[in-house]
Amino acid sequence: MGRWSEERVISAAPDASSLAAARKLAHPGPWSESGSSDVLVWGKCQGSGKTPYQVSVDVVAPAYRCSCPSRKFPCKHALALLLLWARGEAAGPATDTADFAQEWAAQRADRASAKERRQTGQATDPEAQAKRLAARLELMDAGMADFALWLTDIVRTGLAAARKQPYSWWDGVAARLVDAQLPGVAEQVRQMASDVHGRTDWADHLLTTLGRWWALTKAWAKKDSLAPDEFADLRAAVGWATPSSEIQESESLPGPWLVLGAHRSDDGRLQQQRTWLRSPEGTVVVVLDFAAQGQGLATPQLSGALLEATVARYPGSAPQRARFTGPINPQGVATTLGDGCTIAQALENESTAVAASPWRLRHPVLLAGVKVSPEGSGWIYDSPGHALALVDAPLDALLALTGGQEVDLFGELEDGRIRPLAVVVNGTVVTS
């Protein structure tokens, strides 16, 4: 594995504050016992405490570990170490790997081997696998029936009554869904517990979501008659994962892939990273990465980057989920994200996608010639006069980037709002 560039280290930062803190630590002073191999980079960083933090990075996976209490991955210490390594100022090639880094690498290898053994064991016993599938479907059927009954109760008692319920009421329903092997629905129920108290449009949002959930229960009852892509969408909506081994055998699409934008979220239990890509032919896919708390997500890709990589698509309707099936080689940076559309056209495209898959939560859009307005919590509007409210947007940064000028913007449509992920300013693609 070659030495990373400083730009690649910067692109791995979870946010601007982590990178700023890392730059302050990116000098040899606080570091000791650092070194590197073809796979690992390690070192100890002296903080305010007596014991220095132990930092290890797998630059191939990539993955990160630091003994500091930060919940961010990579933390400022890992970023600082990588910056020093990228500059050749520390962590040079070493013959012997530090004990703490070797121990972490061995633990990761053991977990990977155990997972492979479990998958192999399942594949070699089709009869047992069929029994497990039948038992799971029976459990899911019962869980979905119970969920439909709960939806009926909400409609009977009214939306206002649902809003008065404590968080524990929503958590209880979510727990039953998890027990029924329906984690995707459970996550949406937990999120609704916050939404009904935190959103001004909570009533509209709850009513729309109830309709989506009801459609989910009806579709599940007809799952045996659905087309393969329809069932794949339904399966993803309820949180029934598709084994990666099945995806590896599907059609592979070569690059170069243009990174339209990426987003990270953290609900306190699970981290998620969405990376939207577009092929030269215009095919849009999204790569999803997940990590539990305490584990590192995959290195985020820079918006506007061109990647020489091959991806395989999951089953389902477009835009489909995908995964990288080989090495990722950066091939430069684009000066544009392509031809955008108006807000009206974007909403029409989203409507078509939702008609094909009603439980789709977000849709990618590339808008041309939009301006950012600071009114309220922020809006974007186009020349025909249509507007979209912003969500999860750094409004001040967007206003500073665009300076009141028209820009092309890529983002995710979600509940009638847009989450900006990248803008094109003076021939440069900037992550928003």
Side-chain angles (χ1 to χ4, degrees), residues 154-166 169-170 196-197 202-203 206 210:
I154 290 182
V155 173
R156 189 179 66 250
T157 55
L159 301 186
R163 196 190 191 203
K164 294 178 182 177
Q165 297 290 347
W169 182 73
W170 301 91
V196 295
H197 295 289
W202 68 270
L206 177 57
L210 288 176

Side-chain angles (χ1 to χ4, degrees), residues 216-266:
L216 198 66
T217 64
K218 294 299 181 184
W220 185 261
K222 298 181 178 179
K223 61 182 180 299
D224 294 336
S225 62
L226 296 178
D229 283 352
E230 292 174 334
F231 180 68
D233 288 338
L234 178 66
R235 177 171 173 157
V238 301
W240 187 356
T242 300
S244 57
S245 57
E246 295 181 11
I247 307 305
Q248 290 291 134
E249 298 171 357
S250 67
E251 174 195 21
S252 294
L253 301 177
W257 292 90
L258 170 64
V259 181
L260 296 170
H263 178 72
R264 280 186 170 186
S265 61
D266 184 348

Side-chain angles (χ1 to χ4, degrees), residues 82-102:
L82 287 173
L83 285 171
L84 288 169
W85 175 61
R87 298 168 184 166
E89 297 176 356
T95 305
D96 298 322
T97 304
D99 291 343
F100 62 87
Q102 186 63 51

Side-chain angles (χ1 to χ4, degrees), residues 247 277 285-288 311-314 320-324:
I247 307 305
L277 307 170
V285 299
V286 58
V287 175
L288 300 184
V311 305
R313 289 180 291 186
Y314 284 71
Q320 292 169 261
R321 182 184 172 187
R323 62 173 291 149
F324 293 113

Side-chain angles (χ1 to χ4, degrees), residues 5-287:
S5 66
E6 191 163 337
E7 288 74 19
R8 182 169 181 184
V9 178
I10 293 171
S11 68
D15 51 43
S17 61
S18 296
L19 181 60
R23 291 189 188 280
K24 296 178 181 178
L25 289 171
H27 59 89
W31 292 92
S32 61
E33 300 182 38
S34 63
S36 64
S37 65
D38 290 340
V39 177
L40 297 173
V41 179
W42 62 87
K44 290 184 177 180
C45 183
Q46 186 63 56
S48 57
K50 181 179 179 180
T51 305
Y53 298 124
Q54 298 176 348
V55 187
S56 305
V57 180
D58 183 331
V59 293
V60 176
Y64 314 89
R65 183 187 183 280
C66 180
S67 57
C68 77
S70 174
R71 295 176 58 191
K72 295 181 180 179
F73 290 90
C75 68
K76 62 182 181 182
H77 304 102
L79 287 170
L81 177 62
L82 287 173
L83 285 171
L84 288 169
W85 175 61
R87 298 168 184 166
E89 297 176 356
T95 305
D96 298 322
T97 304
D99 291 343
F100 62 87
Q102 186 63 51
E103 181 182 359
W104 174 64
Q107 291 171 351
R108 295 186 69 241
D110 289 344
R111 287 196 294 269
S113 298
K115 182 178 180 180
E116 184 176 356
R117 286 196 297 272
R118 288 195 300 271
Q119 292 174 340
T120 303
Q122 291 172 0
T124 55
D125 191 350
E127 184 176 350
Q129 192 174 28
K131 288 182 178 178
R132 286 194 297 269
L133 176 60
R136 173 166 189 162
L137 285 172
E138 183 178 357
L139 196 62
M140 296 173 81
D141 288 345
M144 200 61 85
D146 178 64
F147 186 55
L149 184 61
W150 179 73
L151 294 174
T152 304
D153 288 342
I154 290 182
V155 173
R156 189 179 66 250
T157 55
L159 301 186
R163 196 190 191 203
K164 294 178 182 177
Q165 297 290 347
Y167 283 94
S168 57
W169 182 73
W170 301 91
D171 282 340
V173 176
R176 296 205 303 271
L177 289 166
V178 171
D179 291 343
Q181 302 286 302
L182 299 165
V185 191
E187 187 53 42
Q188 295 179 41
V189 171
R190 286 197 187 95
Q191 181 61 44
M192 184 57 70
S194 300
D195 289 348
V196 295
H197 295 289
R199 291 180 59 150
T200 56
D201 63 341
W202 68 270
D204 290 341
H205 177 59
L206 177 57
L207 185 59
T208 301
T209 306
L210 288 176
R212 183 183 296 136
W213 288 341
W214 184 253
L216 198 66
T217 64
K218 294 299 181 184
W220 185 261
K222 298 181 178 179
K223 61 182 180 299
D224 294 336
S225 62
L226 296 178
D229 283 352
E230 292 174 334
F231 180 68
D233 288 338
L234 178 66
R235 177 171 173 157
V238 301
W240 187 356
T242 300
S244 57
S245 57
E246 295 181 11
I247 307 305
Q248 290 291 134
E249 298 171 357
S250 67
E251 174 195 21
S252 294
L253 301 177
W257 292 90
L258 170 64
V259 181
L260 296 170
H263 178 72
R264 280 186 170 186
S265 61
D266 184 348
D267 64 4
R269 295 180 297 274
L270 186 69
Q271 305 171 81
Q272 185 195 75
Q273 177 173 276
R274 298 188 295 274
T275 305
W276 294 96
L277 307 170
R278 190 177 64 198
S279 73
E281 293 76 26
T283 301
V284 175
V285 299
V286 58
V287 175

